[in-house]
Each structure stands twice: as C-alpha cells, then as structure tokens.
Amino acid sequence: MTDRYILGVEYEVGGQPPATILHALQEELAHYDATADFRAGVLTVRLALCADSPVDAARGVDFVQVSVLRHRPLQPVRMIGYDVVAEDRAGRGRDAEPHVPELAGLAEVAQITGYSKGRVSQLREDLNPYLLQELASGPVYQAASVRRFAAENPKSAPGVRRSEIRLSPLERSLLEALAAAAAGVEAPPVAAGHRIVPEAIEGVLGKGRQVLLHAPPEGSELAAAFGSLLTHGLVRTRMIYRKERASMGAGHEKDLVVSLTSKGQRHSGIRPQPAAATGQEDTQ
C-alpha cells in the first residue's frame, strides 16, 4: 500500500546560503513539494513523496543530495542526518508540541566559549551562521550550535587565551628574562650564545614589575629582538623619569623601563610570586 511520507534531510554548510540557492533547490524539487530553509547553521530540505514504506521513502535522500551538490549552497557541505515520517503523523506525537531548542544570548555564548561579552560581540560575523533571531535585547543563537563552534575553534574554548606567536630563540630568551626579573623569580637558562640577554637587564624599579633594561645598541640583534616583542604587543616601555634618574648613577640616561603586557605575561609562561602577607594594607 502506497502512503505519503515527509522526508527531511539536514546539511551543515559553511555559512548563510543565498536566498537564490534556497529558491533553486525548491524549484528543482518542486515535483515533491519541496521546501528549503536555513537555521542555526543547518540547511534543511523537506520532500513529500509517495512510497510503500519509510525505507522506500528514504530513496528521496538521493534526489536531495544530487540537487544540493549541483547548486553548491556554500562550502563545506556535509549531510548530518535525515528523518522520514508518515504525512498523516507529521503533526502528531512529538511534533505536536513546539520544539524549542536550548537558546543562547550573548551572556550564554560568553559562558560557552569562555570569552568576555565584549569579545563575543567582536565574533558576531563568525557566529552569524548560528543566529536564530535578532531581538531588541540582542542576538539569539542555538546553544548546541555555539558549542559546536567552540569545539571546532580551539581559541574559543574556555581557558587561557593564547594565540601562537613565533618567537626566535633570542626573542624567547629576552621575553622570559624580562618576565622572570619582573616576577622576582629565577630566569630559565638562556640559549647558547645569548648571554647578552641577562647582561642587558639592570634590575627592577620600586617593588618590581618594571624592569630596567640597558638600551640595546641600534642595529644589534638584541635591538631587533626587543623591537619584535614591542611589535607583538608583549611588552611596553617608557623612558626613565627624572626623579628616578636622580637616584641612579651615571650611565643610565638611555636605559628603558620595560613592563610586560598581560599578553606578554601569558606567552612568557612565568608567573609572579605571590605577595608575602604582611598584615598591613599597601597604601602606596
């Protein structure tokens, strides 16, 4: 006995398909009363076809597959599943109640990815494929899709944010030496031939955190390495204040005061020693 079945085929695509593509899919499969829609990063194509059984109706997957591959909504395209239900049951059972997936606003996206709300706002373009609706209060996403995004993009996973920066051995030695001096801990051994690194560090100012660096000669390897750290935003520098210079001996006029940025601190891998408990508040 032939019955009418509803077949739904789902694809994960690499972005929002143009409306012209959705229309083309529906037109090409119009014989099966096809519909095509895109939501939360998933393209769904539904057909209505007559068949002797659900297994027989599943042959419609091939029809959809040929059409999708022909029109290429966006790359990559990956079929993630399909289902078949008798048409007279499509509006009953579990489908009778509206299915509301777990939703995620900016706060929930920040919690899932481990980013701040501000950083999440900067990721809006990357998250657009998972957007369900834009409300006055902000965007709404499907939480499952955001979790998949976080899993596929390690930089979005919870934990310490550390983008990879390729540093030369000399740049690495200099960064670690500066971080160790600022933290008041022993610096890791420098690479062979890089004794110029510890020799360039004059000491720390005040309670530490700021390192006094002997200005490297212009055009030297050390000057190039220090310039690279500045370019990558790992350190920041200033000249010595007149008041500070008054307490120093001669020969420090061109020295630099160097501080590590939070980014530089992370990349150095060196953590400062915890402050000793004195029982008194630091009023300075």
Side-chain angles (χ1 to χ4, degrees), residues 45 76 151 182 185 211 235 283:
V45 181
V185 300
V211 182
V235 297
T283 58

Side-chain angles (χ1 to χ4, degrees), residues 12-281:
E12 187 176 55
V13 300
Q16 173 74 51
T20 53
I21 295 294
L22 299 181
H23 181 71
L25 291 172
Q26 293 177 163
E27 285 293 307
E28 184 161 308
L29 298 168
H31 177 72
Y32 303 103
D33 297 329
T35 62
D37 63 80
F38 180 81
R39 185 175 299 179
V42 176
L43 168 66
T44 303
V45 181
R46 291 186 177 84
L47 307 182
L49 39 77
C50 295
D52 295 330
S53 68
V55 174
D56 186 37
R59 74 182 189 279
V61 171
D62 292 335
F63 307 155
V64 177
Q65 185 80 345
V66 169
S67 186
V68 167
L69 292 178
R70 179 181 293 117
H71 292 286
R72 295 284 180 187
L74 278 177
Q75 293 295 340
V77 179
R78 182 172 67 92
M79 191 178 82
I80 56 178
Y82 70 90
D83 60 29
V84 180
V85 62
E87 186 178 45
D88 62 352
R89 298 179 59 86
R92 304 209 306 264
R94 66 177 185 179
D95 295 325
E97 298 180 5
H99 174 62
V100 180
E102 182 186 1
L103 304 179
L106 288 180
E108 289 76 19
V109 172
Q111 185 177 20
I112 292 170
T113 62
Y115 278 128
S116 66
K117 286 186 182 179
R119 178 60 180 138
V120 168
S121 295
Q122 296 174 356
L123 291 172
R124 290 285 296 274
E125 186 173 344
D126 295 328
L127 291 168
N128 273 344
Y130 314 107
L131 181 66
L132 289 177
Q133 192 170 357
E134 186 80 40
L135 303 177
S137 58
V140 177
Y141 305 93
Q142 187 168 342
S145 299
V146 176
R147 289 192 181 93
R148 186 168 65 249
F149 169 82
E152 293 174 354
N153 297 271
K155 292 180 183 178
S156 299
V160 175
R161 303 291 157 252
R162 177 172 172 172
S163 57
E164 289 302 321
I165 296 177
R166 292 186 178 182
L167 298 177
S168 70
L170 178 57
E171 292 164 355
R172 169 61 59 186
S173 292
L174 179 57
L175 178 64
E176 291 176 349
L178 290 169
V185 300
E186 185 177 353
V190 297
H194 293 159
R195 288 301 308 169
I196 55 175
V197 171
E199 292 172 358
I201 296 178
E202 301 281 351
V204 296
L205 293 181
K207 295 184 178 181
R209 310 298 185 194
Q210 297 184 94
V211 182
L212 192 62
L213 181 71
H214 188 69
E218 187 174 348
S220 66
E221 279 188 293
L222 191 60
F226 186 68
S228 178
L229 299 186
L230 285 170
T231 300
H232 288 303
L234 302 176
V235 297
R236 54 177 174 267
T237 185
R238 66 172 175 82
M239 301 302 294
I240 301 174
Y241 299 142
R242 182 180 300 177
K243 182 178 178 180
E244 294 169 331
R245 193 179 301 123
S247 62
M248 300 177 184
H252 293 286
E253 293 78 8
K254 294 185 178 180
D255 285 358
L256 302 172
V257 179
V258 180
S259 303
L260 267 73
T261 63
S262 58
K263 181 179 179 181
Q265 187 70 63
R266 292 197 303 271
H267 278 271
S268 73
I270 295 176
R271 297 291 174 263
Q273 291 180 325
T278 62
Q280 297 180 351
E281 280 192 28

